[in-house]
């Protein structure tokens, strides 16, 4: 997460006009293609983290929070005169977000119910339906319950 965050911010600062085209929008409800692709890539990473028991929140929420934070930080830094840019803003926001979204390690024997529910939900999402000994409707119901337990 740290490397991805730093690469994102660095790209925005090196290519501010291009960044605005990639992540900016002038119409509510419209997400530029580059932003959609970035979200899909982030979701792949976050789904794996959830399956490993490393997320405190569902992957979709983690992706939304991460993209909102990194885009906001990048736009804030782009808008500041270069002499006023404090690189600590990005670092502090990144670390605060990571601390909020992730656990310290993989699931421990005393992992919370929410962490375990998220991990099982992510595992079911990645599983081949033919290998799950439940009917599709039962799997959907279980996943709904797991998401409720994760809140």
């Amino acid at each position: 997460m740290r490397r991805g965050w730093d690469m994102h911010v660095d790209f925005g600062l090196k290519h501010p006009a291009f960044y605005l085209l990639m992540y900016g929008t002038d119409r509510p409800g419209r997400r530029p293609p580059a932003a959609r692709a970035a979200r899909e890539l982030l979701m792949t990473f976050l789904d794996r983290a959830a399956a490993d028991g490393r997320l405190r929140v569902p992957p979709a929420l983690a992706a939304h929070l991460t993209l909102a934070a990194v885009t906001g930080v990048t736009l804030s830094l782009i808008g500041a005169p270069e002499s006023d840019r404090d690189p600590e803003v990005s670092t502090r926001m990144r670390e605060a977000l990571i601390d909020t979204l992730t656990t310290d390690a993989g699931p421990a024997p005393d992992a919370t119910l929410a962490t375990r529910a998220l991990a099982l939900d992510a595992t079911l999402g990645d599983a081949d339906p033919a290998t799950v000994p439940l009917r599709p409707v039962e799997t959907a119901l279980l996943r709904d319950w797991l998401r409720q337990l994760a809140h």
Side-chain angles (χ1 to χ4, degrees), residues 62-78:
H64 190 92
L65 292 169
T66 300
L67 289 172
V70 74
T71 303
V73 164
T74 305
L75 291 172
S76 174
L77 291 172
I78 288 171

Side-chain angles (χ1 to χ4, degrees), residues 5 16 30 39 44 53 55 57 66 70 73 78-79 89 97 112 117 120 122 128 136 139 143 145:
W5 177 287
R30 180 187 171 277
R39 185 181 189 287
T44 299
L55 288 184
V57 300
T66 300
V70 74
V73 164
I78 288 171
V89 169
L97 184 77
T112 66
L120 181 54
D128 177 359
T139 301
R143 292 192 73 200
W145 288 341

Side-chain angles (χ1 to χ4, degrees), residues 49 52-56 102-108 111 115:
D52 289 343
R54 297 294 313 270
L55 288 184
R56 296 179 195 272
T102 63
T103 61
D104 293 333
T115 301

Side-chain angles (χ1 to χ4, degrees), residues 1 12 15 20 31-32 34 55-56 60 68 72 83 86-88 90-91 94 106 130 132 141 147-148 151:
M1 281 185 84
H15 310 282
L20 289 171
R31 180 177 287 147
L55 288 184
R56 296 179 195 272
S83 60
D86 183 353
E88 195 170 324
S90 177
T91 302
R94 181 193 69 207
V132 177
L141 182 58
R147 290 180 190 128
Q148 290 298 318
H151 290 295

Side-chain angles (χ1 to χ4, degrees), residues 35-61:
R36 280 195 306 270
R39 185 181 189 287
E40 289 171 12
L41 181 64
L42 181 58
M43 281 300 299
T44 299
F45 169 78
L46 291 170
D47 285 338
R48 283 194 322 256
D52 289 343
R54 297 294 313 270
L55 288 184
R56 296 179 195 272
V57 300
L61 178 58

